[in-house]
């Protein structure tokens, strides 16, 4: 099911012209209107006149998440604030959140790319979309919402959580499309089993799952348990939210909406652009966004690009399912977690030392983060209740900082492996 | 008079307690009384030993987290109602017990109960007024 035959099947030549034209306008506009970009381009010695086609993109400087933080909240706006109609931010768990400010036109683009995404999973106006992504500042909920609305499907904006109700509504309203994180999807299946609900008897047909890394084996499990076709979707708040790339019925890589988001793969060490098929960091330029456009944004996600016309007829390049990160970011139940945040929390709490280790596990298809904190003489008490209070206190502080519940476990000193140079902080036991 | 109790932090790991006893036995430390409080993740080993300073040094040297705590050792008669008398006294005088454990003395027909109490001075006063024997550092 192709939502936009014209753009999704555009010839490569025509696409390149379109990308070139859009990039030229974008760079000109950013240079004039956003001091942040003018400074960056001046520093890199590039002028808008140097950009004559999409091939010149490699002359432009990269943009990093840390840089975006320095201009929080409105420093990246390329339009007057009065043209902004909606704001989303990253969870802000790493400190200052990253802001995506949308104009009407940006919301229109978002609706368009999400309509394409949902169409890849076969969604039409006949469908009932149960949207179990969280609504709010998180982009997942509203992104799917806008796409489903553009298609004219019936949306159930149930948001995340409340699993029994999800299953009740799924049965009563005969939902046909499910959108949520892949781990939540499996959790739903688990609860359905406990409630003796036969998922094969439901009307669910397909789902768009993303916001966290998953694997082929997880796809098989989802498809077997929920009797749906499971599509991987990709996006990030900084770029637009979900709707940067998605899988068609071939389920062999995610089509990048190249008319809006230009992908490059670079070597994260040398910053050199790599050829198609080579693994590296995904870098994206937003070609059409008005509110907060990004030039060569470093996603820190590792993947590779696969060009060539797909059997589905789409001509856009496909990116492989994510292979990892260039940093130590963990994604726990859709929330980005950096070990450095945990370190900061521990440093703030009296008596704790930043000797910790993170154990990530998947229990009943939900991610759990255990934070092992080394005991020291200041923290130690002969009374169990004091020690338990300490654990609770750290858990509480971590919840405030990360936005997710963790399990804090006090361990003996030196039980956390000290390695030379970088400490081994993360043990990820999840089987994706 | 109070007694110095040694408290040791132990993870719930196989053989951890045996490591402590091995260390102490090799250093001539005699454990007079012992109690282990535990949760699912960790335990706190509480001990009264013949030489707490030496014991503390040895354990610290081997990387254990150790703490000294003032506790009260009370002698009670080793017969029905022996402990109850002390408990009733504490209760009626609003002395709160954080934790306690007991052991039996070989030499006399008495049991020794170790109390950790929030208000040590008040507890001692109550015991003294009622002529209940408190142990000194020498057990």
């Amino acid at each position: 099911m192709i939502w936009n035959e014209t753009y999704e099947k555009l010839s490569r030549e025509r696409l390149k012209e379109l990308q070139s034209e859009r990039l030229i306008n974008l760079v000109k506009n950013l240079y004039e209107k956003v001091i942040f970009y003018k400074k960056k381009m001046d520093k890199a010695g590039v002028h808008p006149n140097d950009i004559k086609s999409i091939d010149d993109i490699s002359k432009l400087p990269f943009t990093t998440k840390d840089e975006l933080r320095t201009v929080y909240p409105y420093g990246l706006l390329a339009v007057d604030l009065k043209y902004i109609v909606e704001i989303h931010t990253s969870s802000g768990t790493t400190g200052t959140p990253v802001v995506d400010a949308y104009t009407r036109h940006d919301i229109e683009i978002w609706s368009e790319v999400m309509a394409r995404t949902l169409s890849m999973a076969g969604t039409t106006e006949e469908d009932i979309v149960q949207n179990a992504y969280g609504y709010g500042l998180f982009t997942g909920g509203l992104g799917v919402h806008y796409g489903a609305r553009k298609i004219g499907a019936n949306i159930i904006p149930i948001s995340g959580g409340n699993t029994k109700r999800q299953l009740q509504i799924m049965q009563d309203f005969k939902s046909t499309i499910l959108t949520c994180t892949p781990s939540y999807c499996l959790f739903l299946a688990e609860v359905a089993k406990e409630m003796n609900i036969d998922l094969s008897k439901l009307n669910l047909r397909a789902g768009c799952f993303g916001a966290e890394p998953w694997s082929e084996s997880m796809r098989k499990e989802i498809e077997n348990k929920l009797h749906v076709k499971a599509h991987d979707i990709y996006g990030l708040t900084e770029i637009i939210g979900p709707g940067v790339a998605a899988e068609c019925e071939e389920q062999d890589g995610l089509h990048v909406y190249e008319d809006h988001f230009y992908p490059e793969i670079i070597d994260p060490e040398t910053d050199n652009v790599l050829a198609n098929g080579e693994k590296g960091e995904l870098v994206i330029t937003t070609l059409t966004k008005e509110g907060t456009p990004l030039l060569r944004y470093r996603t820190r996600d590792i993947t590779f690009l696969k060009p060539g016309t797909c059997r589905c007829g789409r001509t856009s390049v496909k990116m492989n399912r994510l292979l990892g990160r260039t940093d130590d970011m963990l994604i726990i139940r859709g929330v980005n977690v950096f070990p450095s945040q945990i370190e900061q929390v521990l440093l703030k709490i009296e008596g704790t030392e930043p000797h910790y280790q993170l154990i990530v596990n998947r229990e009943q298809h939900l991610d759990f983060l255990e934070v092992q904190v080394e005991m020291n003489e200041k923290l130690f008490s002969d009374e169990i209740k004091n020690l338990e209070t300490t654990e609770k206190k750290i858990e509480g502080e971590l919840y405030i900082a990360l936005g997710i519940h963790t399990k804090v476990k006090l361990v003996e000193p030196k039980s956390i492996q000290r390695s030379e140079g970088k400490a081994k902080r993360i043990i990820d036991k999840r089987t994706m | 008079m109070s007694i110095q109790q040694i408290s040791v932090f132990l993870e719930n790991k196989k053989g951890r307690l045996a490591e402590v006893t091995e260390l102490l036995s090799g250093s001539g430390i005699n454990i007079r009384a012992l109690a282990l409080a535990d949760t699912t993740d960790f335990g706190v080993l509480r001990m009264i030993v013949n030489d707490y300073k030496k014991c503390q040094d040895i354990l610290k040297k081997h990387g254990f987290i150790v703490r000294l705590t003032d506790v009260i050792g009370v002698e009670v008669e080793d017969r029905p109602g022996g402990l109850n008398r002390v408990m009733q006294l504490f209760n009626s005088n609003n002395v709160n017990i954080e934790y306690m454990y007991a052991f039996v003395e070989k030499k006399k027909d008495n049991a020794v109960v170790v109390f950790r109490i929030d208000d040590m001075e008040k507890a001692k006063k109550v015991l003294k007024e009622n002529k209940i024997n408190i142990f000194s550092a020498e057990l």
Side-chain angles (χ1 to χ4, degrees):
Chain A
M1 189 90 203
I2 297 182
W3 172 253
N4 193 327
E5 288 274 341
T6 313
Y7 283 96
E8 291 182 81
K9 287 177 154 182
L10 209 58
S11 74
R12 295 304 297 180
E13 297 77 45
R14 179 68 196 104
L15 178 68
K16 197 172 167 183
E17 281 170 27
L18 189 69
Q19 289 171 330
S20 297
E21 185 187 307
R22 286 176 170 176
L23 181 70
I24 292 165
N25 287 335
L26 172 73
V27 171
K28 213 176 275 171
N29 192 43
L30 289 180
Y31 193 78
E32 282 167 20
K33 295 192 180 141
V34 186
I35 294 168
F36 171 81
Y37 280 117
K38 182 176 188 302
K39 279 189 193 159
K40 277 175 74 76
M41 287 173 62
D42 286 345
K43 202 177 159 197
V46 209
H47 190 266
N49 292 342
D50 300 330
I51 308 301
K52 297 186 180 75
S53 89
I54 193 75
D55 295 331
D56 294 323
I57 197 165
S58 57
K59 294 175 182 166
L60 294 165
F62 294 109
T63 307
T64 65
K65 192 167 192 164
D66 286 337
E67 286 178 303
L68 299 190
R69 293 212 176 92
T70 65
V71 291
Y72 176 87
Y74 286 132
L76 214 64
L77 282 197
V79 294
D80 197 282
L81 190 55
K82 73 178 175 193
Y83 295 113
I84 298 299
V85 297
E86 191 168 318
I87 294 270
H88 286 271
T89 77
S90 63
S91 49
T93 53
T94 43
T96 313
V98 172
V99 181
D100 197 347
Y102 303 71
T103 62
R104 265 179 216 287
H105 163 83
D106 294 338
I107 295 289
E108 187 43 48
I109 292 171
W110 201 12
S111 309
E112 162 71 23
V113 290
M114 281 310 293
R116 292 185 196 178
T117 298
L118 290 163
S119 297
M120 285 190 192
T123 312
T124 69
E125 59 184 3
E126 307 282 333
D127 278 295
I128 298 164
V129 178
Q130 182 158 342
N131 186 13
Y133 281 113
Y135 279 67
L137 280 176
F138 174 60
T139 50
L142 282 166
V144 169
H145 193 96
Y146 292 144
R149 173 182 278 178
K150 184 150 181 96
I151 290 172
N154 179 3
I155 313 159
I156 304 175
I158 188 164
S159 198
N162 217 338
T163 308
K164 286 189 176 161
R165 186 149 180 242
Q166 297 270 5
L167 289 161
Q168 195 58 52
I169 279 180
M170 202 177 277
Q171 297 174 89
D172 295 348
F173 291 87
K174 304 190 168 26
S175 312
T176 55
I177 306 286
L178 174 66
T179 54
C180 61
T181 61
S183 60
Y184 187 65
C185 181
L186 283 173
F187 184 68
L188 270 172
E190 206 75 16
V191 176
K193 202 175 159 195
E194 281 165 26
M195 290 169 73
N196 290 318
I197 297 170
D198 182 355
L199 290 169
S200 70
K201 298 254 158 55
L202 300 189
N203 300 62
L204 274 192
R205 197 179 73 233
C208 292
F209 308 112
E212 66 184 17
W214 52 311
S215 64
E216 278 312 308
S217 63
M218 211 165 154
R219 185 201 316 264
K220 283 206 185 78
E221 204 181 341
I222 289 175
E223 295 193 333
N224 288 336
K225 286 188 171 164
L226 280 101
H227 306 273
V228 295
K229 190 153 183 170
H231 298 254
D232 191 7
I233 64 172
Y234 175 73
L236 58 168
T237 309
E238 299 91 310
I239 299 301
I240 198 150
V244 174
E247 272 180 345
C248 65
E249 63 271 22
E250 298 296 322
Q251 295 176 310
D252 176 32
L254 295 82
H255 286 280
V256 182
Y257 306 124
E258 284 178 282
D259 48 335
H260 296 288
F261 311 113
Y262 185 77
E264 297 170 272
I265 299 291
I266 64 157
D267 178 331
E269 305 290 326
T270 64
D271 291 357
N272 291 331
V273 177
L274 300 175
N276 282 330
E278 284 188 74
K279 262 187 242 172
E281 182 179 344
L282 177 67
V283 170
I284 298 174
T285 299
T286 65
L287 296 173
T288 49
K289 252 171 66 173
E290 290 179 343
T292 46
L294 290 179
L295 275 190
R296 303 192 86 199
Y297 182 69
R298 297 188 60 156
T299 65
R300 301 272 173 204
D301 288 319
I302 298 171
T303 182
F304 59 92
L305 296 178
K306 308 190 260 195
T309 301
C310 180
R311 270 187 292 184
C312 72
R314 290 177 182 85
T315 52
S316 53
V317 73
K318 290 194 277 192
M319 59 178 257
N320 193 69
R321 178 189 274 294
L322 293 187
L323 298 167
R325 297 273 306 170
T326 63
D327 54 19
D328 53 6
M329 186 180 91
L330 284 167
I331 303 181
I332 312 282
R333 277 174 272 168
V335 176
N336 300 348
V337 174
F338 287 91
S340 56
Q341 298 170 261
I342 289 162
E343 188 160 325
Q344 279 167 14
V345 169
L346 294 179
L347 284 167
K348 267 197 300 190
I349 297 172
E350 168 120 26
T352 53
E353 285 170 19
H355 296 310
Y356 64 93
Q357 193 161 44
L358 309 177
I359 317 280
V360 197
N361 234 323
R362 194 162 269 170
E363 289 168 28
Q364 273 209 315
H365 309 295
L366 281 184
D367 295 340
F368 281 95
L369 179 62
E370 178 178 288
V371 182
Q372 297 192 342
V373 181
E374 279 191 7
M375 178 54 82
N376 62 54
E377 284 187 21
K378 265 193 219 154
L379 276 187
F380 183 48
S381 163
D382 56 309
E383 290 177 38
I384 296 281
K385 69 173 182 217
N386 293 346
L387 297 174
E388 285 178 337
T389 305
T390 302
E391 285 186 337
K392 293 255 154 54
K393 186 175 165 189
I394 301 173
E395 281 170 4
E397 293 289 330
L398 286 172
Y399 180 71
I400 292 168
L402 307 177
I404 54 163
H405 290 286
T406 55
K407 159 93 180 83
V408 168
K409 183 178 177 179
L410 295 170
V411 296
E412 282 178 35
K414 311 285 186 301
S415 55
I416 292 165
Q417 195 188 330
R418 308 275 201 275
S419 54
E420 280 175 36
K422 212 172 173 192
K424 183 156 173 51
R425 294 272 182 230
I426 302 168
I427 297 176
D428 201 333
K429 294 182 176 168
R430 289 178 289 189
T431 42
M432 293 292 176
Chain B
M1 291 294 281
S2 35
I3 311 170
Q4 291 297 305
Q5 169 192 273
I6 300 249
S7 310
V8 190
F9 180 78
L10 293 176
E11 258 175 70
N12 276 358
K13 270 197 296 205
K14 187 178 172 290
R16 209 57 186 134
L17 188 55
E19 278 173 53
V20 175
T21 53
E22 176 74 17
L23 261 178
L24 299 188
S25 85
S27 320
I29 301 281
N30 190 18
I31 304 170
R32 307 297 307 273
L34 168 152
L36 187 64
D38 67 320
T39 71
T40 47
D41 298 337
F42 58 82
V44 177
L45 172 66
R46 299 160 180 155
M47 296 182 289
I48 309 291
V49 297
N50 59 343
D51 187 341
Y52 72 86
K53 279 195 182 129
K54 190 173 167 194
C55 181
Q56 186 185 25
D57 287 348
I58 292 162
L59 290 171
K60 272 193 178 180
K61 208 159 69 190
H62 285 84
F64 286 94
I65 296 288
V66 181
R67 187 190 177 95
L68 290 178
T69 316
D70 275 353
V71 293
I72 299 180
V74 177
E75 202 174 21
V76 302
E77 288 172 77
D78 189 12
R79 63 166 181 77
L83 173 63
N84 184 46
R85 187 171 165 234
V86 180
M87 298 305 282
Q88 293 305 328
L89 276 173
F90 280 166
N91 189 32
S92 56
N93 288 284
N94 291 319
V95 173
N96 292 320
I97 300 164
E98 299 293 349
Y99 57 80
M100 56 180 280
Y101 50 100
F103 59 98
V104 179
E105 275 191 300
K106 285 173 286 186
K107 293 169 200 158
K108 303 181 199 168
D109 276 344
N110 277 353
V112 174
V113 185
V114 176
F115 288 101
R116 169 72 185 148
I117 278 157
D118 59 349
D119 188 344
M120 293 285 276
E121 293 316 308
K122 188 170 163 191
K124 283 182 207 167
K125 193 167 153 257
V126 168
L127 293 169
K128 224 175 250 173
E129 281 167 8
N130 290 278
K131 301 196 167 44
I132 290 172
N133 204 10
I134 303 174
F135 270 91
S136 67
E138 302 298 315
L139 263 185

